[in-house]
Amino acid sequence: MHIPKGNTAELELVTFRQALEAANTPNPHYDVEKWLYAPNFYSEYRYILGTRGEKPLICIGINPSTAEPDNLDNTLKSVERIALGNGFDSFLMFNVYAQRATDPDTMEKTCNAALHRENLEAFRYVLSISRGPAVWAAWGAIIEKRDYLADCVRDMVRVGQTQGARWYCAGAVTKKGHPHHPLYLRKDEKLKPFDVEAYLRDR
């Protein structure tokens, strides 16, 4: 379990660029040739966790939980299975909001603009390392937990438009149109196009 210790606004954030530099430096705790982990230590927030490859699937959940390199939770194990099953050689787990919280009900009530800004920098980066980046919307109905989350997605869509992002979902959408969370998907589930702009018009 990870329960936030307080508001992230009280933290001195590691910027994404600082985190990326550290993530590309050899680490005694995991293989940096295999894993991309930023920040490269367990903290109250996480920008990226995934594997390195030529053709990554970028999966977007709501917020990070406890997963780390070589210690994936069930959600990340499902993400990896779906990525490999759809012809990708790697996955990058990204999130609408970077604060760690096992229970989304414990996420902070207001958006930390600085954390969101660095998270968008991370998103720009993961889009830039793939030609024709494939983005899997996978946040489920949890997006309703906080009012600011839909606005965070809007910002991500704008960033994606500049880099040719193609959006997908997997499994059935909810009655309100939310894309399915990675858990409880069949291991052979296929990605299908997701009209994220139409989805946001209803939020």
Side-chain angles (χ1 to χ4, degrees):
M1 293 288 291
H2 186 101
I3 300 173
K5 295 178 180 177
N7 292 331
T8 59
E10 299 170 358
L11 303 175
E12 183 175 346
L13 296 177
V14 175
T15 69
F16 172 67
R17 290 297 161 183
Q18 292 170 329
L20 179 61
E21 183 177 355
N24 290 329
T25 302
N27 190 300
H29 302 294
Y30 65 92
D31 182 2
V32 299
E33 297 293 325
K34 175 182 178 182
W35 295 100
L36 178 58
Y37 183 42
N40 67 341
F41 56 90
Y42 194 92
S43 68
E44 289 293 308
Y45 56 96
R46 189 187 77 208
Y47 301 127
I48 306 171
L49 171 59
T51 51
R52 298 180 188 266
E54 297 297 321
K55 187 183 178 183
L57 175 61
I58 303 164
C59 181
I60 304 181
I62 279 294
N63 68 301
S65 184
T66 60
E68 300 175 279
D70 298 317
N71 186 25
L72 299 183
D73 57 23
N74 288 336
T75 295
L76 271 289
K77 290 176 182 176
S78 181
V79 169
E80 185 171 39
R81 283 194 300 270
I82 298 297
L84 297 178
N86 279 270
F88 297 89
D89 65 359
S90 53
F91 76 93
L92 294 169
M93 189 68 204
F94 190 80
N95 288 279
V96 174
Y97 197 63
Q99 183 188 30
R100 279 192 199 263
T102 304
D103 180 356
D105 285 329
T106 63
M107 290 173 64
E108 50 201 1
K109 297 292 195 297
T110 59
C111 178
N112 176 352
L115 182 62
H116 177 53
R117 183 169 59 249
E118 295 303 327
N119 205 39
L120 287 177
E121 281 299 306
F123 190 51
R124 288 187 182 92
Y125 173 75
V126 298
L127 292 172
S128 75
I129 61 177
S130 177
R131 186 176 301 172
V135 182
W136 172 15
W139 48 76
I142 305 171
I143 197 169
E144 298 179 8
K145 293 287 184 179
R146 295 290 183 267
D147 290 341
Y148 59 80
L149 293 172
D151 287 334
C152 291
V153 174
R154 289 185 178 90
D155 289 341
M156 293 170 61
V157 170
R158 282 192 285 269
V159 170
Q161 288 170 340
T162 69
Q163 303 211 40
R166 294 167 292 126
W167 289 78
Y168 298 91
C169 65
V173 298
T174 71
K175 291 181 179 179
K176 294 185 178 181
H178 301 307
H180 203 293
H181 189 275
L183 277 179
Y184 312 121
L185 289 173
R186 299 194 320 268
K187 64 181 180 181
D188 61 348
E189 194 77 58
K190 296 304 179 184
L191 297 174
K192 52 193 176 185
F194 180 65
D195 190 340
V196 68
E197 294 179 41
Y199 165 80
L200 287 171
R201 284 197 292 270
D202 295 331
R203 304 302 125 205

